[in-house]
Amino acid sequence: MTRHFLTVDDLDAAELLALLDHADALKAERAQGRRQRDDLAGRTVGLLFEKPSTRTRVSFEVAVAELGAHPLVLSSAELQLGRGETVGDTARVLSRYLDALGVRTFAQSRLETLAAEGTIPIVNMLSDLAHPCQALADLQTIREATGGLAGRRLTYLGDGNNVAHSLLVAGALVGLDVTVAHPEGHGPDRDVLARARAHAATSGAELSVTTDHLGAVAGADVLYTDVWASMGQEDEADARAAAFAPYRLDGDALAAAAEDAIVLHCLPAHRGEEISAAAIDGPQSRVWDQAENRLHAQKALLLALLG
Ligand code: CP
Ligand code: NVA
């Protein structure tokens, strides 16, 4: 059966942890100079973008190339998709040429249609609902920096968005406690939260969602934030700024967190808005490792889906 990666829990907990081990091994191998592998020689992987991207676009293109496959970067504006060809027809046609397709898009339903109508693995490279590839790199980074996942506590400050959703589900799968502190009216999606809580019942992860930013950061091992206005919400940026200001990841948040807490941000960052320059550029920041780990985690993912 064709496997897809539309949300983090398309993998079960054991598969997720095995993938992280594999990502660590690929990282170590690359650090020793072995970049080029031939696991996916002769394959072609499409990478379709309906929104901008720096990290996802480059890390996936490099990952595909270093695994020996051919990456084909596509923009919906340049495809007939941008002129009204259906998602289903696009899926059927691309399945005849490609071995897998990564997609960055708006509605999660577009990914679901691609998966249902095509015959190749579909990878969610970010939708309005989820950013599961980001969560893989996040878990890899947390484990690397703190030595574990189960029983660690991550506090996410800000918008209950795609990144927050994938962190909740990923944490719930592996036993990482996740607190999301958000302004009134900007909490995570109820269905996603329910799914995360169902996984947490198995793993023992403690999940909480609150508007109390001060209580949320106390003692946290990991502080995480993301932009206040995601792609597609640019018009709301000004209106959101005042409501989100107390949720900034700054020196006050760091002072209340565990002494050795790490700072994460999926990037791109806006210094002085959701994160202070001192926090992102300071000694507790692991954001550049986090960005690098996209490459290793996505290689492990591609090998799990196609290897
Ligand atoms: N974190 C992330 O997905 O970055 P890009 O939007 O640059 O791909
Ligand atoms: N929540 C952000 C993440 C960017 C990587 C967005 O969707 O724009």
Side-chain angles (χ1 to χ4, degrees):
M1 205 177 99
T2 305
R3 291 204 68 176
H4 305 288
F5 188 61
L6 305 190
T7 66
V8 187
D9 52 354
D10 282 336
L11 299 173
D12 66 27
E15 289 171 329
L16 186 49
L17 291 170
L19 188 150
L20 298 179
D21 289 343
H22 199 183
D24 285 347
L26 290 162
K27 181 171 186 171
E29 184 181 279
R30 193 173 189 270
Q32 285 162 7
R34 185 176 171 213
R35 289 189 172 209
Q36 198 54 48
R37 301 175 59 102
D38 59 6
D39 309 72
L40 300 183
R43 314 275 193 102
T44 300
V45 177
L47 303 168
L48 170 59
F49 289 89
E50 302 201 277
K51 290 177 178 173
S53 170
T54 296
R55 280 142 290 271
T56 305
R57 171 173 171 174
V58 178
S59 60
F60 258 112
E61 186 165 353
V62 171
V64 170
E66 289 188 1
L67 292 174
H70 176 65
L72 187 64
V73 177
L74 303 164
S75 141
S76 57
E78 295 157 5
L79 299 183
Q80 298 289 5
L81 188 61
R83 295 181 56 246
E85 186 168 16
T86 68
V87 176
D89 286 355
T90 303
R92 283 182 275 277
V93 171
L94 293 184
S95 293
R96 301 293 177 103
Y97 306 134
L98 300 173
D99 296 287
L101 178 65
V103 184
R104 169 167 285 200
T105 190
F106 294 85
Q108 185 78 5
S109 60
R110 282 171 88 76
L111 291 158
E112 287 161 2
T113 303
L114 285 162
E117 303 295 332
T119 54
I120 55 174
I122 302 295
V123 173
N124 182 356
M125 300 197 297
L126 180 146
S127 65
D128 291 343
L129 191 73
H131 198 0
C133 293
Q134 181 67 52
L136 297 179
D138 298 342
L139 292 186
Q140 187 184 4
T141 310
I142 294 164
R143 206 170 67 156
E144 187 173 72
T146 73
L149 292 170
R152 302 291 191 279
R153 202 156 75 74
L154 179 149
T155 294
Y156 173 98
L157 292 165
D159 193 20
N161 62 13
N162 44 12
V163 169
H165 289 160
S166 291
L167 279 170
L168 277 164
V169 177
L173 280 170
V174 300
L176 170 74
D177 299 342
V178 179
T179 298
V180 173
H182 63 85
E184 202 64 57
H186 295 283
D189 177 86
R190 277 165 191 269
D191 293 343
V192 172
L193 195 55
R195 229 176 55 231
R197 288 203 196 284
H199 294 309
T202 305
S203 71
E206 288 181 17
L207 305 182
S208 63
V209 175
T210 177
T211 54
D212 171 16
H213 56 97
L214 292 176
V217 291
D221 302 303
V222 181
L223 293 181
Y224 196 122
T225 192
D226 183 18
V227 292
W228 291 341
S230 286
M231 289 180 277
Q233 298 174 330
E234 288 77 6
D235 293 351
E236 295 175 39
D238 289 346
R240 285 174 170 240
F244 278 79
Y247 297 83
R248 177 173 297 129
L249 200 177
D250 59 9
D252 289 345
L254 269 171
E259 205 180 332
D260 55 354
I262 61 164
V263 170
L264 299 181
H265 189 311
C266 59
L267 306 176
H270 301 80
R271 288 172 176 76
E273 294 182 33
E274 77 276 2
I275 193 162
S276 67
I280 193 171
D281 298 320
Q284 288 165 270
S285 173
R286 295 291 178 277
V287 301
W288 316 118
D289 293 335
Q290 184 185 5
E292 175 187 330
N293 286 340
R294 296 289 303 275
L295 172 63
H296 312 300
Q298 288 160 190
K299 277 185 183 172
L301 174 68
L302 289 166
L303 290 172
L305 296 176
L306 285 174

